[in-house]
Amino acid sequence: MTDTLEKSKFPLSSIEFAENLDNQDKLSKFRQEFVIPLRRYVSGENAVTEKESDLDDECTYLCGNSLGLMPKRSRELINEELTTWGQKGVEGHWNHTYNRPWATIDELVKEPLANLVGAKPVEVTAMNTLTSNLHSMLVTFFRPTETRFKILIEKKAFPSDHYCVSSHLESRGIDPKIGLLTIAPRKGEHTLRTKDIIELINSDKEIAVVMLSGVQYYTGQLFEIEKITKAGHDAGCIVGWDLAHAVGNVRLHLHDWQVDFACWCSYKYLNSGAGGIAGLFIHEKYKNDQSRPRLAGWWGNDKENRFEMEPQFRPSEGASGYQLSNPSIFTTISLLGSLQVFEAAGIDNLRQKSIMLTGYLEKLLETELKQEFESDMIRILTPSDPQQRGCQLSLEFPENMMQVFSQLQARGVIVDERKPTVIRVSPTPLYNSFKDVYNFVMQLKQVMNIVYK
Ligand SMILES: *Cc1c(COP(=O)(O)O)cnc(C)c1O
């Protein structure tokens, strides 16, 4: 817990404590950059209110881990694209009303994405969607041999990653029962120990690719990416990361950490809108490597002669050489709107606030729901060490989780549920306030009394 939380002159459980932190928060102004849904639209039929006008209040949105909120600039930027389309038609590729020609639109997001993941611009690109990028990377980096043919993921990896790896193995003629290796926490534990991951990497000599998630979607655990990457390399493996829950959430240094490849979606903490364009990192050391096969498309061709329409593929340097199709203008520009806010706020500042925001959430929960914790009605699955988590806390309710969830929603608190027992709560430093966290905990306290009376 950081000093600022401890030094406050207000009692932890008071609203003044939260308001005071919001007043001192230099990033609080960025909340205005986002559209916060009103309770009227999200509380459902069974909204619990004191008075009708409560429905005109903003909801308490703690669900950026699932879908980030809409940046106001993205709406403007998308409108500008529609204007350009209307005014110029195909000409918009070269001659754009707002000087963002579609032929090179993806270049606008390269640098801000590189800044977010600790990479050089040549190492990143925006393309496709997350699961399809994972497949693309496996085409390139999974080179099974007689003696090395396994891919390591978490036993509780996001289902799409399971399906991706299983189907990918099958496409290479490898039975997933043999090729898919998973790792689970120790019995009675919720999160993985780095030591256990490294031991498995060292002892199983048949792993070709280690492909874990940077932040585990279910538990919120942040893995020790640098250490695990190094251990994978020492054991002769390729190491790639699924950063869906890590990007825009924690500090990443993919270049320095020597990560081989990484993929992420952009609609969670990056606020690009549902189904937004995904991101890809490939380490600089592969930037001119043409020895590996790849899935190719015309957008991966060197842009100098892309429009010469030659049948011979000449890849762009670095990650851009893996692009397939011309990118969606709307999802790319919507992502740009959000990245501009990230650039203005600074990821280091955001992470600093995030550690406080989640630390406050944890502390307030443990204080206000002390009895419920003691009687195991509620548990936190996420590590308590801020260095081992991002902004999310995964709360386990062994009984009646869905009732807790619906009662929260009826009170204008938007979190998300993972059946059978987990509610994930993610205060994001870009648009959440300390008061949001306060509201959540106070509402949860009431809801617990109703559900478990
Ligand atoms: C959100 C998420 C996905 C979703 O994949 P899409 O291809 O973007 O639909 C996949 N993997 C992980 C780990 C995720 O968190």
Side-chain angles (χ1 to χ4, degrees):
M1 183 76 41
T2 53
D3 279 1
T4 326
L5 288 189
E6 276 165 11
K7 280 193 309 219
S8 179
K9 57 179 185 275
F10 301 104
L12 178 80
S13 297
S14 66
I15 189 158
E16 289 80 11
F17 186 96
E19 285 170 347
N20 186 44
L21 288 173
D22 282 329
N23 290 338
Q24 290 173 36
D25 174 16
K26 291 194 180 68
L27 301 178
S28 62
K29 61 176 189 247
F30 292 104
R31 182 181 174 94
Q32 294 159 19
E33 295 274 350
F34 293 86
V35 180
I36 316 277
L38 300 184
R39 286 198 58 193
R40 183 172 300 287
Y41 303 115
V42 295
S43 271
E45 306 255 297
N46 308 317
V48 175
T49 52
E50 277 171 27
K51 48 188 189 310
E52 170 72 16
S53 64
D54 289 352
L55 290 175
D56 294 323
D57 291 344
E58 289 172 347
C59 74
T60 301
Y61 194 87
L62 299 169
C63 208
N65 58 308
S66 194
L67 188 80
L69 289 179
M70 183 175 84
K72 291 175 184 167
R73 328 178 166 221
S74 295
R75 170 146 53 194
E76 269 172 47
L77 287 167
I78 286 176
N79 272 328
E80 290 177 3
E81 294 307 328
L82 289 167
T83 302
T84 303
W85 186 18
Q87 287 182 347
K88 308 256 169 128
V90 69
E91 285 287 299
H93 281 94
W94 320 107
N95 172 9
H96 187 283
T97 309
Y98 299 90
N99 208 15
R100 295 188 298 264
W102 298 329
T104 50
I105 191 102
D106 37 315
E107 310 216 336
L108 295 178
V109 293
K110 242 173 138 65
E111 199 164 318
L113 278 178
N115 291 341
L116 274 185
V117 298
K120 300 185 178 180
V122 72
E123 295 175 312
V124 301
T125 195
M127 68 183 222
N128 309 346
T129 47
L130 169 55
T131 310
S132 63
N133 287 345
L134 291 174
H135 276 294
S136 275
M137 288 301 94
L138 289 177
V139 164
T140 297
F141 288 102
F142 178 50
R143 309 306 312 149
T145 63
E146 288 282 299
T147 51
R148 272 188 194 273
F149 46 82
K150 292 184 183 168
I151 301 174
L152 173 65
I153 66 173
E154 312 109 77
K155 182 149 195 222
K156 274 228 171 175
F158 195 89
S160 203
D161 300 46
H162 272 277
Y163 309 154
C164 168
V165 172
S166 291
S167 63
H168 199 93
L169 286 161
E170 279 170 355
S171 79
R172 306 286 194 97
I174 300 170
D175 183 350
K177 284 197 203 77
I178 297 166
L180 175 63
L181 180 66
T182 63
I183 181 164
R186 294 184 188 188
K187 212 162 182 262
E189 296 185 8
H190 304 295
T191 51
L192 284 160
R193 299 190 192 192
T194 305
K195 185 168 156 278
D196 292 353
I197 299 172
I198 291 176
E199 257 174 44
L200 178 62
I201 292 172
N202 287 335
S203 62
D204 188 317
K205 307 283 183 215
E206 296 169 338
I207 305 174
V209 176
V210 175
M211 200 176 89
L212 303 172
S213 49
V215 172
Q216 224 285 334
Y217 86 100
Y218 191 76
T219 63
Q221 178 181 14
L222 166 59
F223 290 110
E224 293 188 83
I225 299 177
E226 183 176 20
K227 262 196 201 167
I228 295 168
T229 302
K230 178 157 192 323
H233 288 163
D234 290 348
C237 312
I238 287 282
V239 186
W241 292 89
D242 181 335
L243 301 178
H245 284 261
V247 69
N249 180 15
V250 296
R251 210 59 194 95
L252 297 164
H253 302 279
L254 301 185
H255 176 85
D256 290 347
W257 294 343
Q258 298 289 321
V259 165
D260 293 300
F261 71 87
C263 301
W264 58 89
C265 51
S266 62
Y267 46 82
K268 292 169 181 166
Y269 297 111
L270 295 192
N271 317 307
S272 73
I277 194 162
L280 176 71
F281 165 91
I282 298 181
H283 199 276
E284 190 180 29
K285 65 188 164 199
Y286 303 108
K287 81 175 173 187
N288 293 312
D289 183 353
Q290 293 189 32
S291 68
R292 293 164 188 272
R294 71 174 85 190
L295 292 184
W298 75 314
W299 225 255
N301 198 85
D302 188 10
K303 82 174 182 287
E304 300 310 317
N305 49 35
R306 184 184 289 156
F307 290 92
E308 287 165 20
M309 306 307 216
E310 297 286 339
Q312 175 63 36
F313 177 65
R314 281 189 262 172
S316 298
E317 211 178 48
S320 295
Y322 293 77
Q323 286 177 287
L324 298 177
S325 303
N326 72 102
S328 153
I329 297 308
F330 300 114
T331 58
T332 308
I333 211 68
S334 164
L335 173 61
L336 180 67
S338 172
L339 293 177
Q340 287 175 348
V341 188
F342 270 97
E343 291 269 288
I347 185 72
D348 285 325
N349 299 332
L350 287 165
R351 176 64 172 151
Q352 219 175 0
K353 171 175 170 186
S354 176
I355 287 172
M356 270 179 56
L357 204 53
T358 297
Y360 170 58
L361 169 62
E362 182 181 40
K363 193 109 186 159
L364 195 60
L365 277 169
E366 287 171 354
T367 309
E368 290 300 301
L369 299 168
K370 194 161 184 291
Q371 280 181 342
E372 287 85 346
F373 276 101
E374 280 168 2
S375 54
D376 277 339
M377 291 158 73
I378 176 173
R379 245 175 251 144
I380 299 178
L381 303 186
T382 312
S384 58
D385 173 7
Q387 301 311 317
Q388 291 180 57
R389 67 185 184 197
C391 68
Q392 170 186 327
L393 289 187
S394 300
L395 308 181
E396 183 171 57
F397 300 83
E399 282 168 43
N400 299 334
M401 178 279 287
M402 272 315 286
Q403 283 184 43
V404 174
F405 174 77
S406 330
Q407 290 285 342
L408 284 169
Q409 184 176 13
R411 286 164 177 76
V413 177
I414 305 302
V415 286
D416 84 354
E417 43 87 6
R418 282 289 170 263
K419 293 188 185 75
T421 54
V422 168
I423 289 179
R424 303 184 300 177
V425 187
S426 304
T428 68
L430 257 189
Y431 50 75
N432 282 125
S433 60
F434 289 87
K435 206 161 152 204
D436 284 335
V437 169
Y438 174 86
N439 283 340
F440 164 72
V441 175
M442 296 306 156
Q443 294 292 345
L444 178 62
K445 198 172 164 181
Q446 280 189 30
V447 164
M448 295 293 282
N449 287 332
I450 294 167
V451 173
Y452 301 100
K453 66 171 174 288

